[in-house]
Amino acid sequence: MEYMKKYEEWINKPYFDEKTKQELEVLKDDKKEIEDRFYKDLEFGTAGLRGVIAAGTNRINIYTVRRATFGLANYIIKNTTEEEKNRGVVIAHDNRHMSREFCMEAANTLAACGIKAYIFDSLRTTPELSFAVRNLHAIAGIVITASHNPTEYNGYKVYWEDGAQVMPHIANAITDEINEIRDYSTIPTLTEENKELVIMLDQKQDTEFIEAVKSKVIRKELIKEVGKDFKIVFTPLCGTGNVPIKRALKEVGFENVVVVKEEEMPDANFAGIDYPNPEDKKALTRGIDLAKEVGADLVIATDPDCDRVGVAVKTTSGEYALLTGNQIGGMLTNYIIEGLKENNKLKENSTLIKTIVTSEFGADIAKANNVDVLNVLTGFKFIGEKIKSFEQNNEKTYMFGYEESYGYLVGTHARDKDGVVAAVLISEMAAYYYSKGLSLYEGLVELYKKYGFFKEETISLTLKGIEGIAKIKDIIAHFRENGIDNVNKVKVVDIKDYAKGIDDLPKAEVLKYFLEDGSWIAVRPSGTEPKLKFYVAVKGETEEMANEKITAIKTYINNTVDKLM
């Protein structure tokens, strides 16, 4: 069996360290675990690696990080000019277990290949990495992070010179280079001669990033007026957002920011939070409790690498509700448009970019204000790609981009979702409503009354291991091969299979069903987790009508999936 052969190699070859060998020795009688660790290589997906931290080819560890980095280095060497190669690679990391070690392994491997590696003195956010790649004119970037995954995970994301995650054609080429590396002991190691190629960055990058964020504020005078009274509770969920967000909020004029103490400092175990995801209300439990205690107007949470932002606001009942990414994105769309109009800065070719699984809430607002809307595939790199195209062709002006999974980018200083600038703009937007005697929640209701009541939910089905991957493929195949003509007697009027490469988009494993009443359902596997996701979006004249529609569709999906399991 091939996986047993690989297991024996890791046990016996001198290249692998004793700690790794001891970890694997313990598994000698657990054939199923050995198979799962060695039956394949940890896949370099659309932008990098993500996996459980452990020994094995199908895990993330110092060896799989070295291999991925050697593959990246070989791609750079073969596909760039000498000048481009000499621009180097910037590396950042979050607070997770082994993040600093993986950062140094990547830096040392690049240097061993003759490529400069810029590193920070400690953890930094993903958006700052994106900014630094552009600011330093580097050829590429790496972030060591598993975003909002549980504590046992870590990951490795690759960025290109424009500051966006690598596009599929580059990711595929890097994958080919990685797959050529079959013997780990052939990976170059750092020598005295090339140690100088690992370069430590100073605080200049931090300051320039924060200045770029501050420049996106729309109503500076408003913040000066209410910044002392408007109270914000913030939690970085033990990740990278603590320093930059507190600094940015303070420097733009928000003086009343209270941080959740238990979740303020970096912690690889996330202060006991099982799933440090700001999309999950459980992750905001301490933040909401603190908000109730101090009477906060707004709760903000960022995920460990600070590219996503979650928001909780006080409702009319006095309780705090977590807003969805679709709601925040729609509200920011409206706020940015109104602010640009107020300052006579809304250009005729201004464009909103969103993903195909993001609701039409923001899109409807944009269209009502004569702002173009462009749909892209899931993954913020596709928004970054469009920004690059806009600038190169001078065809449109990027106004705002977002996706339903709590990722937003205001401005073009970065080319990935930016939790720092989003936290500042969300705070400004909430302060704007506060100045009018409204909560952010009441502002949302006002927009719903004007544009319709939108409601969206995502159903995630977690299926791990070899069997899980097969089951995900089977379920998608069922939906693709068995035509659906109605959902709860509501007619399906259009079906889009993005695997066919439609709408001028790259091929993607996504199916989307459009219903006669304006609702839609999308089905896609997660690109970073062992999950199958069903996205449901509806619109009703009232909140009750929207709730009825979404409940009926969710029941239909759950019943269908139950039959296939």
Side-chain angles (χ1 to χ4, degrees):
M1 291 175 285
E2 186 65 26
Y3 69 86
M4 284 302 299
K5 181 181 175 183
K6 290 182 180 179
Y7 170 74
E8 294 294 339
E9 285 179 359
W10 280 53
I11 289 282
N12 297 315
K13 277 197 171 185
Y15 176 76
F16 299 99
D17 65 77
E18 285 304 313
K19 185 178 178 182
T20 295
K21 292 178 179 180
Q22 290 169 12
E23 179 185 334
L24 293 173
E25 284 280 7
V26 175
L27 306 176
K28 62 184 179 182
D29 297 322
D30 190 344
K31 293 295 189 289
K32 188 171 179 62
E33 178 66 14
I34 293 172
E35 180 184 18
D36 192 52
R37 290 194 187 201
F38 288 94
Y39 83 95
K40 66 172 184 175
D41 293 321
L42 186 63
E43 292 179 5
F44 189 91
T46 55
L49 308 170
R50 188 171 297 186
V52 172
I53 305 165
T57 60
N58 190 32
R59 296 290 188 268
I60 192 164
N61 48 65
I62 60 171
Y63 303 107
T64 52
V65 166
R66 285 177 192 170
R67 182 171 182 257
T69 308
F70 189 34
L72 171 62
N74 286 337
Y75 175 81
I76 291 171
I77 290 166
K78 293 177 183 179
N79 294 278
T80 65
T81 65
E82 192 67 18
E83 181 276 328
E84 288 171 331
K85 187 197 87 167
N86 289 338
R87 283 154 49 188
V89 177
V90 191
I91 309 173
H93 68 84
D94 68 6
N95 56 298
R96 288 178 174 271
H97 291 293
M98 297 297 292
S99 280
R100 186 66 181 178
E101 290 87 342
F102 292 163
C103 168
M104 296 311 301
E105 291 290 347
N108 291 344
T109 301
L110 286 169
C113 295
I115 298 172
K116 277 188 296 190
Y118 296 98
I119 61 172
F120 295 93
D121 60 353
S122 64
L123 73 175
R124 291 298 191 281
T125 69
T126 288
E128 182 168 348
L129 180 281
S130 176
F131 171 83
V133 168
R134 293 171 52 74
N135 205 37
L136 292 166
H137 305 290
I139 190 61
I142 298 168
V143 181
I144 306 298
T145 181
S147 189
H148 52 271
N149 282 59
T151 184
E152 65 269 23
Y153 283 82
N154 212 325
Y156 178 110
K157 294 194 293 190
V158 178
Y159 290 71
W160 204 236
E161 60 182 329
D162 61 338
Q165 290 183 44
V166 288
M167 296 303 293
H169 70 283
I170 297 179
N172 292 338
I174 294 171
T175 299
D176 291 341
E177 292 292 344
I178 294 170
N179 290 340
E180 288 294 315
I181 306 162
R182 296 181 176 87
D183 184 349
Y184 283 82
S185 65
T186 63
I187 299 171
T189 55
L190 192 67
T191 64
E192 285 296 325
E193 184 181 347
N194 48 32
K195 271 185 178 179
E196 64 184 22
L197 290 176
V198 179
I199 301 165
M200 186 74 73
L201 294 168
D202 58 24
Q203 306 300 312
K204 181 183 177 186
Q205 291 301 314
D206 301 334
T207 297
E208 292 181 351
F209 172 68
I210 293 297
E211 289 302 316
V213 167
K214 287 161 58 180
S215 72
K216 307 305 180 292
V217 168
I218 298 171
R219 295 182 171 101
K220 296 178 182 177
E221 292 304 314
L222 167 77
I223 299 176
K224 288 181 182 177
E225 290 172 12
V226 302
K228 288 183 180 179
D229 300 321
F230 185 77
K231 186 172 288 187
I232 302 167
V233 162
F234 167 59
T235 173
L237 297 179
C238 303
T240 61
N242 183 46
V243 173
I245 287 181
K246 284 195 303 187
R247 178 178 174 181
L249 288 174
K250 181 179 180 180
E251 290 186 12
V252 300
F254 288 104
E255 300 179 24
N256 206 342
V257 180
V258 185
V259 182
V260 179
K261 286 298 177 187
E262 300 93 327
E263 298 162 5
E264 183 174 14
M265 302 309 293
D267 178 5
N269 295 314
F270 306 111
I273 299 170
D274 293 331
Y275 191 43
N277 186 353
E279 295 179 68
D280 184 358
K281 192 174 181 179
K282 289 180 183 176
L284 275 72
T285 299
R286 292 190 188 106
I288 291 172
D289 287 345
L290 180 59
K292 290 177 180 177
E293 180 184 328
V294 301
D297 302 292
L298 179 69
V299 181
I300 293 176
T302 51
D303 65 345
D305 67 323
C306 194
D307 59 356
R308 287 180 168 88
V309 180
V311 174
V313 295
K314 191 181 291 188
T315 66
T316 50
S317 68
E319 290 299 309
Y320 285 83
L322 188 65
L323 298 185
T324 69
N326 284 307
Q327 289 171 332
I328 298 165
M331 293 192 77
L332 279 172
T333 299
N334 181 75
Y335 183 74
I336 292 166
I337 289 173
E338 287 191 348
L340 291 173
K341 281 185 172 180
E342 188 178 291
N343 296 313
N344 295 314
K345 290 183 178 180
L346 185 65
K347 297 183 179 179
E348 287 185 11
N349 62 355
S350 290
T351 303
L352 170 74
I353 309 177
K354 71 175 192 66
T355 68
I356 58 174
V357 295
T358 298
S359 91
E360 297 303 305
F361 180 34
D364 283 4
I365 292 170
K367 290 171 185 175
N369 287 277
N370 298 315
V371 171
D372 291 339
V373 178
L374 192 62
N375 286 294
V376 297
L377 295 178
T378 306
F380 220 89
K381 59 183 171 289
F382 294 110
I383 294 177
E385 179 190 35
K386 289 300 178 186
I387 297 172
K388 181 180 178 181
S389 174
F390 289 179
E391 291 181 348
Q392 288 178 339
N393 302 317
N394 200 28
E395 53 185 327
K396 295 178 182 293
T397 298
Y398 173 78
M399 185 194 76
F400 176 48
Y402 73 103
E403 55 188 4
E404 44 68 45
S405 54
Y406 287 55
Y408 324 96
L409 177 61
V410 184
T412 59
H413 58 290
R415 297 297 163 88
D416 204 349
K417 46 191 176 287
D418 181 357
V420 183
V421 77
V424 171
L425 265 292
I426 290 167
S427 298
E428 180 190 337
M429 177 173 66
Y432 171 76
Y433 284 109
Y434 173 87
S435 71
K436 293 183 173 297
L438 298 172
S439 68
L440 196 59
Y441 179 82
E442 289 168 327
L444 173 64
V445 173
E446 289 297 314
L447 288 177
Y448 277 164
K449 287 177 180 177
K450 184 175 181 180
Y451 294 102
F453 285 80
F454 292 80
K455 192 170 181 65
E456 311 81 28
E457 284 196 33
T458 302
I459 301 169
S460 292
L461 190 65
T462 300
L463 295 162
K464 296 182 178 180
I466 305 171
E467 298 85 357
I469 292 170
K471 180 58 70 175
I472 287 172
K473 290 179 178 177
D474 288 346
I475 294 173
I476 292 174
H478 170 84
F479 277 93
R480 178 170 282 122
E481 294 164 10
N482 296 274
I484 300 172
D485 54 16
N486 76 86
V487 175
N488 297 328
K489 298 181 180 179
V490 180
K491 186 178 179 182
V492 174
V493 293
D494 191 18
I495 301 173
K496 289 193 175 187
D497 186 347
Y498 291 93
K500 296 178 179 179
I502 59 174
D503 294 348
D504 295 323
L505 298 173
K507 293 180 181 179
E509 188 67 289
V510 184
L511 290 166
K512 193 169 181 181
Y513 300 86
F514 298 84
L515 309 188
E516 195 171 32
D517 66 355
S519 306
W520 57 259
I521 303 167
V523 188
R524 66 175 283 268
S526 170
T528 55
E529 299 171 275
K531 289 182 177 181
L532 180 63
K533 293 187 175 184
F534 295 86
Y535 301 82
V536 182
V538 303
K539 179 182 177 181
E541 292 180 15
T542 65
E543 186 174 6
E544 292 74 20
M545 289 175 65
N547 286 334
E548 287 174 9
K549 284 184 180 183
I550 207 157
T551 299
I553 294 174
K554 282 170 59 183
T555 301
Y556 169 85
I557 292 171
N558 287 328
N559 289 342
T560 303
V561 170
D562 285 345
K563 292 175 185 176
L564 298 173
M565 294 300 289

